[in-house]
Amino acid sequence: METFTVDKRSPTSFLLIDGTISGWGAYSGDMQQGWRFGSAPEVLAQSVMYDASNLSKIYPTKAVLFSSVTGPQPLVFRYFTANGQNGDRPFITYNPNSSDNARLGQTQSVYVVYEIEP
């Protein structure tokens, strides 16, 4: 769903991701969140429960990633289902705006990435 570049400076540090995911519209399925830094293994964040309402939705996300890789690397966020069904998702529109629903204005997912030295 989202990919952006993070410049990790230290091989002994870890990345803490804290944020919210903004969406709109009903859909189906309980979802799992995953984060991956560069080619490191994916780290699971908390799951998101199904909400059948057709309203805007804000879900938290938080993950801790350990990697000795440094320098600019892609940080990738995705949702997936435990049963592997491709059609399930937690909402229809990611980062909705007023063209999706006049009440929404412009909403935005926000991710803050901290690099922390132990």
Side-chain angles (χ1 to χ4, degrees):
M1 287 188 79
E2 187 84 47
T3 300
F4 49 93
T5 301
V6 171
D7 188 2
K8 188 169 178 286
R9 302 296 177 118
S10 170
T12 58
S13 66
F14 62 91
L15 299 177
L16 171 65
I17 301 161
D18 190 16
T20 57
I21 299 116
S22 175
W24 173 76
Y27 218 81
S28 63
D30 294 341
M31 307 300 294
Q32 180 66 53
Q33 302 174 29
W35 286 93
R36 187 180 73 243
F37 179 68
S39 60
E42 185 172 54
V43 172
L44 301 182
Q46 66 273 29
S47 60
V48 175
M49 295 303 293
Y50 173 61
D51 180 354
S53 72
N54 199 31
L55 305 172
S56 62
K57 298 164 177 64
I58 303 292
Y59 295 118
T61 187
K62 187 172 288 198
V64 177
L65 291 87
F66 296 94
S67 174
S68 61
V69 175
T70 59
Q73 298 288 320
L75 185 60
V76 179
F77 169 74
R78 74 179 181 118
Y79 275 113
F80 61 95
T81 60
N83 62 8
Q85 292 187 16
N86 295 330
D88 292 347
R89 53 188 169 177
F91 37 70
I92 294 170
T93 305
Y94 178 63
N95 290 336
N97 57 46
S98 58
S99 65
D100 301 308
N101 185 312
R103 297 171 292 180
L104 294 178
Q106 176 65 51
T107 60
Q108 186 73 29
S109 299
V110 176
Y111 309 108
V112 179
V113 180
Y114 301 93
E115 183 173 2
I116 301 173
E117 196 67 53

